[in-house]
Amino acid sequence: MKRAMTRARMTVIAALAMAGCAPSPYQRAGNGDDVAAAVSRSRPPETGARSLAFLVLGGAAGPRLAAYDLKASRVLWTQPADVTVRVASGASVLVHGSKAVPPASPNGQIVGRDLGSGAVLWQHPIASSEELFGYALDGDQVYVVERVATGDGKRAGRLTALDGRTGARRWEQALPSARVAAPAARGGLVAVPAESQYVLLYDGATGAPVGQVLSTEEAATFVRALPEGLFYGSRGVFLMGRDTARGSRRSPGYLTAHLPAFVRPTYDYDFYRPEQTEYSAIDRNRVLWRVTLDGGRPQFRDGLAFVHDYRFFFAFDAASGVLRWAYASPTDAVASADTGKVILFATVAGELAALDPLTGARVYEASLPGEVVRGASFDAEGFTPSAAVAQAAHPPEVTATLTGIIADPDQRFPALKLFAVEELGRQSGRSVTTKLLELLTDPKTAPLAQQKAGEMLVGRRDAGALDLYRSALRAHADYCEKRSPPPVEVLARAIGALGPIGRSVTPDLEAHLALPETPPAAAAEIARALVQTGATDSPGALRDFLSMYRSDPVYDRDPAALIAASEALLRLGGTEDRELLLFVAEEPHTVAGLRTHLTRALNETAPAQHQRP
Amino acid sequence: MRAPRIHRGGLALAQVCVCVCAVAGASPAWAARAGQKGKTSDKSADKAAAPEAAGLPAAEIDSLRQALIGADDEAATEAAAKLGAAGTPRAAEPLLEVLAEGGRAVRVQAVLDAFAKLGEARALRADQAVIDALTLYAGHRSPDIRRRAVKALASLPEPHVTATLLERLGDAAPDVRAAAADSLAARHETKAVPRLFALLSRGDAGVGAALAALATPDLVPRIAELAGTIDDEIVANTLGEYVKRSDVPEKLRIDVLRTIGRLSGAVATTALAEYLASVPAKEDRASKKEAQKLLDQRGGGTQ
């Protein structure tokens, strides 16, 4: 009775809003009772045993749509189709957008097909006065959100229910705003985002309004129907229910994962942007997630959030952001889905694969040789790979994958490469230090990646790598042997960071003070490292450096290296070195910055403190 | 390469500083150090320079030292030149002081040139301090200073400067590599051949003459095979220098001339012409006729 009254109230409000006399069509927005009641009526969909992939094919054979049975590893059907808007599947039908020949339907059309054969059941043209924002299926009912031109020159949002088998209009509901987005539908409930902060809920059978969600802290740019519930959000995920009817990040039903900087942290595409409903780069760069409910509170399934970044897949601990596994595909994955049991993806080269969410092991693979896949959608909630294959699959080796990402000549992923370098640096083992050193010397490594590799090398404080540092330092630049100079600046910082442990390699380090290719910045780091390691045997090299360059005009503008060398000499040297520094400070040809610094430094340090013979 | 220490223990430099600051009557700090620690391997240098040394009084050397360490760069440069021309090992002492205390490039360059002159006049003791200083400056960041330091080092007959010369073959600056190459060729240092060949393979024109001077017959086909992979003119120039060597067998010389004849460019023509010019007019060699024939075929005959 109460539910019926609530629905009636909502209907009246909507009607008044349409009549232009209601104060606001969103007066009940955020009402927890309304939303809880609506959601409780939403029955979880039958998960069934579907294991379907819908593949949008291109290539020489022309544009086609194919249905592929993952379990049977075979193509069920292929139909000519120029698919634009993503495929959505229902109980016995599927729907997609396609181009149509103007002037009949200049904005394209929605096409309904038989799920078993792919045969066209109906076509729903989008008129020139209409703009399609998206559709959703629930069973064999299709819900379409459009923005339409009204007679008075204005525009309005419209939600329409179509019969999935015939395309016949079941009902139509005017939306209270023209700022609308693509819908989601689950178990008799239709959700439509509006005005960026509302999610309007409608009865799927009648179109009657049944509730309104108000997102107070972040935009609601998507709605998503999953077996575990109805969700909305943008930079986080809200499980729709009483406590998120007025959604804030403090709501128990709110989830967000800790993800690295390279990830575009949106949990679905922007449903307000019709162009994002089409197969595009959006499908190749996204966060994959599923949840489990613990006492009604959502948690990321297994505590993991997944990132699909073109050719790469990553699993992160949602709470800590720690990388769990990384997988690299040889070619771009054009689409992906987290079914809960596996991470499914299709590549542009016609490969279909599944990864174990817990380990990243490749537990399924199939291919369509010779095909070019432009996009894909999955209806594979029931798909489970063969146990034998799954058991035999080996998880990808994280270090090798990260190394492959860094070395990849593909220039599209600078931020990802930086992440890979950073993650590589976090891995343990001598081989990682070796790899970081290789990155530092490889001319193909991007400058930013080299910088990051240097930071990671220094931060590792790998005392077991001193022999590696020594070898690297001894590989002096040689034009004859086509050898570039070693990354002395970084090596100096890495050795300096080790403190006295690093002293055994300081002879090899100080040798670079006397090499022509050592840049001033590296010389400064060498001097600092000699101090950090307590290299009391090194004043000779410092003296040579200081004498040779003290009046070099190169250091006029930036005497940092000379200052660092003089500071090191002051700390590591003895009385005679102080005398040298005094001479350098007083000699008029010495660069001004060094003279000034030394005059002050010598004044500040009492000669009595320098007792070293 | 470990950095040499000009200022071992810092004591020597402290003394140098005293010299610089106290100006007149400064104690011969470097001479004292060199006398105590240095090893003179070229005893003949003293003997060869002795007559000239007698012609440069100590007072004059002191005067030049003052100019060398004074404020006037031009005067210092002139003083360095005079000391370089003095032909006495004692001239090295004030020059070394400049390298020890460091100075502006123009002064350091003049001092390095002076060392080279002393060395060429066999008037430079192969004192360890001198070698250390020159080796250090052979690693200076300025290519011009490195090149001059290499030439100065090369003027020393000491075998252990060869390591530095070989190392400088890997220098990033072509002029420094060329200086090192020429020096090694002048020293008949066959250890340099693999690195010289590697440089030639990279198209380094500056090492061709040096490689030609040191190459053994078995290397000649490998040089010829570089044609097409590097500039033909570099190959022609190298082979042209090679055929002019007096120790090349006539048959091989003819083969090399024919190889040159097949190369394109003016340098190949010049190489053939230069070979002809290098053979005494009265000498009748088959290779001479071959060179003439090849020149005629190229349309550049001299008869």
Side-chain angles (χ1 to χ4, degrees):
Chain A
M1 182 65 181
K2 184 181 176 186
R3 190 180 300 154
M5 285 186 68
T6 299
R7 198 184 303 175
R9 242 185 342 250
M10 295 294 297
T11 307
V12 169
I13 287 168
L16 287 172
M18 292 307 297
C21 55
S24 167
Y26 304 111
Q27 280 197 327
R28 294 188 65 82
N31 186 301
D33 288 342
D34 291 355
V35 173
V39 168
S40 68
R41 286 177 52 240
S42 165
R43 302 168 303 277
E46 301 254 339
T47 52
R50 288 267 179 85
S51 62
L52 295 177
F54 302 104
L55 304 170
V56 179
L57 305 175
R64 288 154 296 144
L65 177 64
Y68 190 91
D69 186 332
L70 297 164
K71 191 162 277 180
S73 291
R74 67 185 181 93
V75 176
L76 297 175
W77 50 258
T78 304
Q79 295 285 357
D82 197 353
V83 176
T84 52
V85 182
R86 293 185 188 88
V87 171
S89 56
S92 69
V93 297
L94 67 87
V95 168
H96 65 81
S98 81
K99 291 176 185 170
V101 181
S105 51
N107 289 346
Q109 60 187 357
I110 302 171
V111 179
R113 291 177 183 271
D114 180 74
L115 194 63
S117 65
V120 173
L121 298 173
W122 50 266
Q123 293 170 320
H124 178 88
I126 309 297
S128 58
S129 60
E130 299 168 340
E131 184 180 7
L132 175 66
F133 276 77
Y135 43 71
L137 272 79
D138 186 9
D140 277 345
Q141 189 105 315
V142 184
Y143 301 100
V144 182
V145 169
E146 294 162 295
R147 184 156 58 197
V148 298
T150 57
D152 54 2
K154 293 181 178 174
R155 292 186 297 176
R158 185 175 72 194
L159 171 63
T160 307
L162 305 175
D163 183 306
R165 296 300 304 178
T166 64
R169 185 165 302 180
R170 289 271 177 82
W171 53 258
E172 192 175 288
Q173 175 66 263
L175 297 169
S177 170
R179 286 194 57 212
V180 290
R186 178 183 184 271
L189 188 64
V190 186
V192 183
E195 302 280 0
S196 292
Q197 60 177 335
Y198 302 108
V199 178
L200 312 175
L201 303 177
Y202 297 90
D203 184 317
T206 64
V210 291
Q212 294 178 339
V213 169
L214 171 63
S215 184
T216 60
E217 286 185 335
E218 62 180 59
T221 60
F222 73 83
V223 282
R224 187 168 175 194
L226 289 169
E228 48 265 41
L230 199 55
F231 297 86
Y232 71 93
S234 54
R235 300 180 79 83
V237 177
F238 293 89
L239 170 63
M240 210 176 283
R242 183 183 299 280
D243 70 12
T244 57
R246 191 176 185 85
S248 83
R249 295 192 185 101
R250 293 180 303 277
S251 308
Y254 179 73
L255 277 179
T256 187
H258 187 102
L259 295 169
F262 82 90
V263 178
R264 203 168 52 89
T266 53
Y267 290 78
D268 212 324
Y269 72 90
D270 185 345
F271 282 32
Y272 286 91
R273 299 176 61 179
E275 74 276 12
Q276 292 194 5
T277 60
E278 299 188 2
Y279 290 110
S280 67
I282 292 282
D283 298 283
R284 307 177 186 199
N285 185 9
R286 54 194 295 244
V287 178
L288 303 173
W289 54 274
R290 292 297 291 263
V291 302
T292 49
L293 301 180
D294 182 10
R297 296 182 62 158
Q299 293 177 338
F300 286 106
R301 183 169 290 190
D302 302 315
L304 298 174
F306 307 94
V307 173
H308 169 193
D309 195 296
Y310 295 86
R311 289 170 42 210
F312 310 103
F313 290 87
F314 304 93
F316 293 98
D317 184 290
S320 66
V322 170
L323 178 69
R324 288 287 187 83
W325 54 258
Y327 175 89
S329 163
T331 53
D332 271 11
V334 296
S336 56
D338 179 357
T339 68
K341 293 173 186 150
V342 290
I343 305 293
L344 272 172
F345 65 90
T347 73
V348 69
E351 180 191 33
L352 289 156
L355 306 177
D356 183 329
L358 292 176
T359 66
R362 191 180 160 107
V363 291
Y364 173 83
E365 59 187 21
S367 68
L368 285 80
E371 291 290 4
V372 176
V373 180
R374 284 182 42 238
S377 297
F378 298 95
D379 182 359
E381 198 67 21
F383 174 61
T384 308
S386 147
V389 174
Q391 282 173 1
H394 296 291
E397 210 270 302
V398 172
T399 304
T401 308
L402 294 173
T403 302
I405 292 170
I406 297 162
D408 198 296
D410 198 327
Q411 298 297 314
R412 289 178 295 170
F413 320 110
L416 175 59
K417 288 190 177 190
L418 284 185
F419 160 77
V421 174
E422 197 167 343
E423 276 300 327
L424 181 67
R426 289 198 183 111
Q427 308 295 313
S428 60
R430 183 181 165 84
S431 62
V432 172
T433 304
T434 304
K435 188 63 206 171
L436 290 170
L437 282 168
E438 283 173 18
L439 287 174
L440 286 167
T441 51
D442 187 344
K444 286 181 282 191
T445 309
L448 278 175
Q450 277 193 335
Q451 186 185 327
K452 181 62 78 178
E455 288 168 13
M456 300 315 292
L457 190 75
V458 174
R460 289 173 73 76
R461 296 174 193 263
D462 188 351
L466 282 172
D467 60 323
L468 296 174
Y469 295 161
R470 185 179 294 113
S471 298
L473 285 168
R474 286 182 180 176
H476 296 176
D478 194 310
Y479 178 86
C480 192
E481 296 178 16
K482 301 181 184 176
R483 197 168 55 228
S484 300
V488 182
E489 189 176 342
V490 171
L491 287 167
R493 284 167 51 211
I495 292 163
L498 292 172
I501 298 168
R503 188 167 169 181
S504 66
V505 291
T506 52
D508 296 291
L509 190 59
E510 68 176 49
H512 285 267
L513 286 174
L515 294 179
E517 61 271 16
T518 302
E525 288 297 345
I526 292 171
R528 290 178 194 124
L530 294 178
V531 173
Q532 287 171 299
T533 54
T536 49
D537 297 336
S538 296
L542 292 164
R543 283 194 293 271
D544 287 350
F545 179 79
L546 205 53
S547 302
M548 194 154 59
Y549 295 116
R550 69 175 176 83
S551 53
D552 190 322
V554 161
Y555 292 98
D556 264 336
R557 198 166 51 186
D558 181 9
L562 293 175
I563 289 173
S566 66
E567 281 291 319
L569 202 51
L570 207 53
R571 291 192 187 201
L572 299 170
T575 310
E576 66 281 8
D577 295 305
R578 194 174 169 83
E579 287 172 18
L580 165 63
L581 293 173
L582 188 60
F583 163 74
V584 170
E586 291 176 344
E587 212 285 325
H589 290 149
T590 300
V591 298
L594 178 61
R595 290 185 67 192
T596 306
H597 175 85
L598 269 179
T599 303
R600 189 172 59 241
L602 288 166
N603 282 335
E604 286 172 358
T605 51
Q609 291 173 3
H610 294 267
Q611 299 298 324
R612 283 173 47 76
Chain B
M1 183 190 77
R2 290 292 309 277
R5 302 279 176 271
I6 303 180
H7 325 297
R8 291 188 189 285
L11 181 59
L13 187 84
Q15 290 171 320
V16 170
C17 295
V18 170
C19 294
V20 172
C21 301
V23 189
S27 62
W30 279 99
R33 189 167 96 69
Q36 288 161 10
K37 296 182 181 177
K39 292 177 183 174
T40 304
S41 62
D42 187 7
K43 304 288 184 189
S44 63
D46 282 336
K47 291 177 188 171
E52 288 184 65
L56 192 66
E60 176 70 3
I61 290 182
D62 276 348
S63 167
L64 292 171
R65 170 189 280 123
Q66 297 314 317
L68 204 54
I69 62 178
D72 186 346
D73 278 343
E74 197 175 334
T77 306
E78 281 177 22
K82 282 183 184 168
L83 286 165
T88 169
R90 284 193 295 132
E93 202 180 290
L95 294 171
L96 194 54
E97 284 176 19
V98 173
L99 296 189
E101 70 169 67
R104 293 194 207 177
V106 62
R107 216 172 276 223
V108 170
Q109 287 163 355
V111 164
L112 292 171
D113 289 348
F115 269 120
K117 268 198 163 183
L118 286 173
E120 284 159 13
R122 310 279 286 170
L124 184 58
R125 278 188 183 140
D127 187 288
Q128 189 58 45
V130 172
I131 293 173
D132 283 352
L134 295 178
T135 303
L136 180 68
Y137 277 85
H140 194 278
R141 60 158 206 88
S142 159
D144 190 58
I145 288 178
R146 295 204 296 279
R147 181 180 59 79
R148 291 167 196 258
V150 162
K151 288 179 83 169
L153 262 182
S155 72
L156 293 168
E158 282 294 289
H160 61 278
V161 305
T162 304
T164 304
L165 298 176
L166 285 168
E167 186 179 283
R168 285 301 107 205
L169 283 180
D171 200 288
D175 285 357
V176 180
R177 294 199 298 273
D182 291 343
S183 304
L184 288 160
R187 299 165 80 92
H188 306 289
E189 185 52 74
T190 54
K191 275 192 285 188
V193 170
R195 280 171 73 78
L196 288 171
F197 182 74
L199 288 171
L200 195 75
S201 305
R202 293 195 68 182
D204 189 343
V207 303
L211 183 60
L214 296 174
T216 48
D218 59 307
L219 191 67
V220 174
R222 292 177 61 202
I223 295 171
E225 283 169 10
L226 293 176
T229 65
I230 60 171
D231 189 340
D232 274 6
E233 294 193 343
I234 296 172
V235 179
N237 186 53
T238 307
L239 294 176
E241 291 297 321
Y242 180 78
V243 288
K244 285 192 277 186
R245 275 171 51 176
S246 59
D247 61 338
V248 177
E250 186 65 356
K251 186 175 178 309
L252 176 60
R253 190 177 276 138
I254 290 169
D255 287 345
V256 174
L257 286 167
R258 286 174 181 162
T259 303
I260 295 170
R262 286 193 291 273
L263 295 171
S264 60
V267 174
T269 308
T270 305
L272 294 168
E274 280 188 359
Y275 173 69
L276 275 178
S278 72
V279 182
K282 292 179 181 173
E283 196 172 327
D284 186 25
R285 286 188 198 170
S287 61
K288 189 177 174 184
K289 289 176 184 165
E290 184 65 25
Q292 185 61 60
K293 190 174 95 182
L294 290 165
L295 260 182
D296 292 343
Q297 286 170 355
R298 295 173 79 89
T302 55
Q303 291 179 345

